[in-house]
Amino acid sequence: MVWSVKYLKGISGRKLFECFPEIRNQLWKGELWNHSYYVETVGSVSEENIRRYIEHQSKAY
């Protein structure tokens, strides 16, 4: 799972920068994606779990 997420983020980031190179200047340190990700099975995750995860993202860096 880890490699497929990294692969997806890498490819999508490169494609976005190819199409919209100006967005790199608007991003923090020129990076599109955070290094972490969240995976949970469909149907078992609550909105509160997702909200808590997102809120704690900025505290990790």
Side-chain angles (χ1 to χ4, degrees):
M1 177 64 81
V2 173
W3 291 109
S4 60
V5 171
K6 288 181 180 181
Y7 183 75
L8 176 63
K9 289 166 89 173
I11 295 293
S12 61
R14 276 192 294 281
K15 293 293 184 185
L16 281 168
F17 288 142
E18 285 175 10
C19 293
F20 308 101
E22 67 280 1
I23 65 172
R24 187 180 296 270
N25 299 328
Q26 300 171 6
L27 299 171
W28 187 69
K29 293 187 178 181
E31 294 185 16
L32 183 61
W33 301 115
N34 185 306
H35 294 280
S36 63
Y37 60 92
Y38 182 80
V39 176
E40 188 159 339
T41 59
V42 175
S44 67
V45 63
S46 69
E47 182 179 338
E48 181 58 32
N49 283 347
I50 296 170
R51 186 178 315 282
R52 192 175 359 196
Y53 174 78
I54 292 170
E55 288 171 355
H56 288 90
Q57 282 297 295
S58 62
K59 296 175 185 170
Y61 288 95

